[in-house]
Structure formats: structure tokens, C-alpha cells
Amino acid sequence: MKRIGLVGISGFGAVHFDEILALHGEGRLKFDSAVVINAEEEREKCEILKKEGVEIFSSFESFLKEREGKIDLCYIATGIDIHSEMTLSAISAGMNVLVEKPLAATIQDARAMVEISSKKNKFAAVGFQMMYSRSTRTLKEKIISGEIGRLKSVRFSVCAPRDKCYYTRNNWAGKLRAGGKWILDSPFNNAVSHHFEIMLFLCGEDFAGGAEIASIEAELYRANPIESPDTASIRAYTKSGVEILFITTHACENDYDAVIEITGEKGTIKSDSKEIIVRAKEEVRIAVESDKIFRKQMHDALLRRLEDPSEFICDANLCVPHTLCVNGAHESSDVIALPRDFIAKVEKNGSELSCIKGIEEIVSEAFAKGKLFS
């Protein structure tokens, strides 16, 4: 039975904690060990771990020392600033890794993670769970089959509100840097980065490949009192000339469904959370499965990959274009603080939202016209 280690059980680590514990209970893996640096705050979870025979380590260093060569898959659910260094250390200790998204803050760190994975013959998977969905697979297969002809463009838009509590939940949310390390937190590098990664995956010329980025331009804005952008329009081109347009904001009052629109020379594909509509020689509609099963599909794929090197996973190599685009967006644009008269303060669910006036219509128009905000 495969032995699993978990680094971090708080924040999003709590999601991994529950999922690994469930798989452990089903007998599909052995929950071997966990790194918990805040045991006093997490006494209830620690009691559960002890009851299940999971060894608790108070530091990542002691975990690596005691478990070197003994862990098949290490889950790393920590802040963006230490994704790279922890992944490099875990792989060096003979472990495969699932690191939470994004892969890393900088392209240099991302490439180092790819390099050590190859050198040590271990994988570094990334927690982009939507990459494992049947819907994502269907979109990619429709494109590479040539059903809509040569790919011309991929557009995405989403409005996903995040309140004051979201930006005060830890010491790096809304930061460009923390503790001297790059973070580059933003919608496109965190909450809705799943969709950005999918766009780049869809632009790959074979099923397992991603986009080769040639150029990028961005417009980055913030309505919240943070360092990083909460609103962005980004345009990139691949080396084969495919246009990628990504438009998003957290500075809005209501959720608006994520929409992807794919254009080829012979047809189009449009997808949201409910269905995929293919318009080529004829119109085909395909239901989208519930997002509740995406993470199960991810865990299933990772366990299969431990047995079969040919099993598809969203690995570090596939995520390098995303990190490159994030870095390129920040090289392209400063983060512009919007004037106060552009912003409305809204109370919702007991917390405060900073909303750009009319942003939902602006996002919709930019998406429809295929343009950046300006």
C-alpha cells in the first residue's frame, strides 16, 4: 500500500487532510505521516491523526530526515512562497509530490522543479483539480482532433468576488512579496488560476502538452487595499499564433459563471459550468459533470500514476507556461490602484466587499469584443 505524507493541515491543507483521511479509511493508501507546526491550534485534527496511527512531525526538516525514501507521495499544502523549496526538498528525499496550485511564484523556481523531477525520476504534480475533469479532456480532444479546424483563439472570463476576510486570512494573501520571497498572489495565480491553466493546456499541440508562449501583455488593477491585483485583463500569443484572452476580477458583488470560448477556422466551442456547446459541421451539446468529483478524479489519477508512469497527471512541466504568463503579466504592467470614486463598498455575508462600479458589464464587454479593459 502506498505511503502518504501531508505537509500542512490548516487553511487549504484541511481539504487535503479530509480527503487523504477518507482514502486511508477506504484502504486505498496508508496515511503515514503529517507535518503540523501549529499542533495547539489543530488539537482536534491531531487527535484524529494519532487515533489513525499517523505520525506527527513538528517540522518539515524532521519529517524529511525520518521519512527519506519511505514516502511514495508527499502532499504539500503550504503558502506559495515555499512551494518550490519544499517540493525540491521532498523530491530530493525520494518522494513524489502533489503541491498545491500554483506551481511556483517565479519561472526560475518552476523550471528548477521540472529539472529535479527529471533528474530524480519523480513527479511533481500540481493541485489544478479541474485538469482531471472529463470536461477538460473533452475540450482538448475536440481541439486536437481537428473538429473545429486550426485553433485561432481561446477566451475566458469570470467574476468571482472575494471579501475583506479573504485578504486577511493569512500573511501572504494579496501580497506581491512576503518575507523577501515572491508570492504574486492574484485571481489568475490563485483562486481562478485553474481556468488559466486549462486555457494554456488547451493550446498545447498534443494531448499531454501545454502552450508555448511567445508574448504577453496585461492590465492589472486593484480596488482592495492590497499589493497585488484583484482585477486583470491578459492577452498572450502562442508560438503558433493562437490568441489567449483572460479576463477576471475579485472586485465584484456577485459570482458570474466562468465561460470559455474557443474559436477555430471551422467552428467554435463554448463551455460554462453546465454544458459544452460544439458548433462545427453540426451543433453538439455535452453536459458538464459536477465539480464535486474533480478532486476525487485527481486523487485517483495520482494513485494510478504511482503504479503506471504513462498515466496522465497535471505535472510541473505542464504548469510552467502558467507561471511564465503570471511573471510576464507582472513584467507587462504595474498594479494600478483605482481611484476611490471607481469603488463601492458593499456589506455581504458579514464582511466587506470592495467592488469596482460596473465591473460585471466591463468584463462582459471585454470578453465579447476580445479586448483588454482599456
Side-chain angles (χ1 to χ4, degrees):
M1 192 177 296
K2 300 302 180 182
R3 294 158 68 95
I4 307 299
L6 172 61
V7 182
I9 64 172
S10 300
F12 201 77
V15 176
H16 289 287
F17 173 87
D18 290 339
E19 292 168 345
I20 297 169
L21 200 63
L23 291 166
H24 172 83
E26 293 168 10
R28 298 188 60 201
L29 54 78
K30 165 66 176 172
F31 197 166
D32 175 89
S33 42
V35 177
V36 184
I37 63 171
N38 56 341
E40 279 301 307
E41 297 172 23
E42 295 288 6
R43 275 180 283 185
E44 186 176 341
K45 288 194 187 83
C46 286
E47 286 303 313
I48 293 170
L49 290 172
K50 290 173 185 176
K51 183 180 177 181
E52 294 297 328
V54 180
E55 186 162 354
I56 300 171
F57 291 91
S58 60
S59 72
F60 183 58
E61 292 72 23
S62 60
F63 163 71
L64 292 179
K65 183 178 179 181
E66 293 297 321
R67 288 297 189 267
E68 183 172 1
K70 299 175 183 177
I71 295 294
D72 296 294
L73 178 58
C74 176
Y75 284 69
I76 297 174
T78 57
I80 297 171
D81 56 325
I82 51 178
H83 281 188
S84 175
E85 65 181 79
M86 283 192 163
T87 298
L88 295 175
S89 296
I91 291 177
S92 295
M95 305 173 187
N96 294 292
V97 168
L98 171 71
V99 63
E100 251 317 307
K101 49 82 180 162
L103 173 63
T106 70
I107 189 61
Q108 293 85 355
D109 282 346
R111 287 171 174 158
M113 294 159 86
V114 170
E115 183 179 351
I116 198 165
S117 295
S118 176
K119 182 179 179 181
K120 298 292 185 179
N121 195 29
K122 298 292 179 182
F123 66 74
V126 186
F128 285 116
Q129 67 259 18
M130 292 174 67
M131 286 286 287
Y132 296 87
S133 74
R134 178 174 51 80
S135 306
T136 300
R137 178 179 291 273
T138 298
L139 289 173
K140 186 65 178 274
E141 288 172 347
K142 293 289 183 184
I143 292 169
I144 63 175
S145 71
E147 191 167 335
I148 61 168
R150 186 181 69 83
L151 187 62
K152 293 173 64 179
S153 68
V154 181
R155 297 179 187 173
F156 168 85
S157 72
V158 66
C159 296
R162 293 295 185 271
D163 59 18
K164 186 176 181 180
C165 292
Y166 177 82
Y167 287 111
T168 57
R169 73 191 192 281
N170 57 39
N171 64 353
W172 55 263
K175 297 287 185 65
L176 295 176
R177 294 174 70 94
K181 296 181 180 180
W182 288 109
I183 302 290
L184 302 181
D185 184 40
S186 69
F188 56 91
N189 200 33
N190 197 345
V192 296
S193 59
H194 299 276
H195 300 286
F196 205 160
E197 173 62 23
I198 286 172
M199 291 177 71
L200 296 167
F201 172 62
L202 295 179
C203 292
E205 295 188 2
D206 58 66
F207 182 80
E212 292 186 72
I213 300 299
S215 65
I216 189 164
E217 59 179 326
E219 297 177 357
L220 309 180
Y221 303 92
R222 60 178 176 84
N224 285 276
I226 55 176
E227 296 176 1
S228 61
D230 53 38
T231 302
S233 57
I234 301 169
R235 176 183 283 115
Y237 286 94
T238 70
K239 290 181 180 179
S240 59
V242 180
E243 181 191 44
I244 297 166
L245 184 68
F246 190 85
I247 303 169
T248 188
T249 185
H250 282 337
C252 53
E253 185 173 355
N254 299 301
D255 273 295
Y256 281 75
D257 201 0
V259 179
I260 295 178
E261 191 171 273
I262 302 157
T263 302
E265 288 183 332
K266 298 178 181 178
T268 63
I269 304 172
K270 192 168 184 177
S271 178
D272 57 23
S273 63
K274 298 179 180 63
E275 66 178 351
I276 297 168
I277 304 172
V278 183
R279 294 188 175 99
K281 290 182 179 179
E282 57 185 24
E283 182 174 290
V284 178
R285 292 176 178 258
I286 304 163
V288 170
E289 77 270 49
S290 168
D291 59 6
K292 293 179 181 179
I293 68 170
F294 293 166
R295 291 192 65 81
K296 179 184 183 302
Q297 291 167 330
M298 178 180 74
H299 294 300
D300 289 345
L302 290 169
L303 292 175
R304 289 194 299 268
R305 179 59 177 260
L306 292 174
E307 302 287 351
D308 180 4
S310 68
E311 175 70 25
F312 172 80
I313 59 171
C314 182
D315 64 8
N317 194 58
L318 196 53
C319 296
V320 165
H322 173 255
T323 303
L324 184 64
C325 282
V326 171
N327 287 185
H330 282 278
E331 289 284 347
S332 172
S333 175
D334 292 330
V335 181
I336 300 166
L338 291 168
R340 288 184 181 178
D341 58 355
F342 278 56
I343 302 164
K345 299 290 185 179
V346 178
E347 289 292 324
K348 194 170 184 180
N349 299 324
S351 188
E352 183 181 81
L353 280 167
S354 294
C355 302
I356 301 170
K357 296 174 183 177
I359 188 61
E360 292 88 351
E361 292 77 14
I362 294 167
V363 167
S364 179
E365 184 179 359
F367 176 81
K369 293 182 176 180
K371 293 185 177 183
L372 302 181
F373 289 139
S374 64

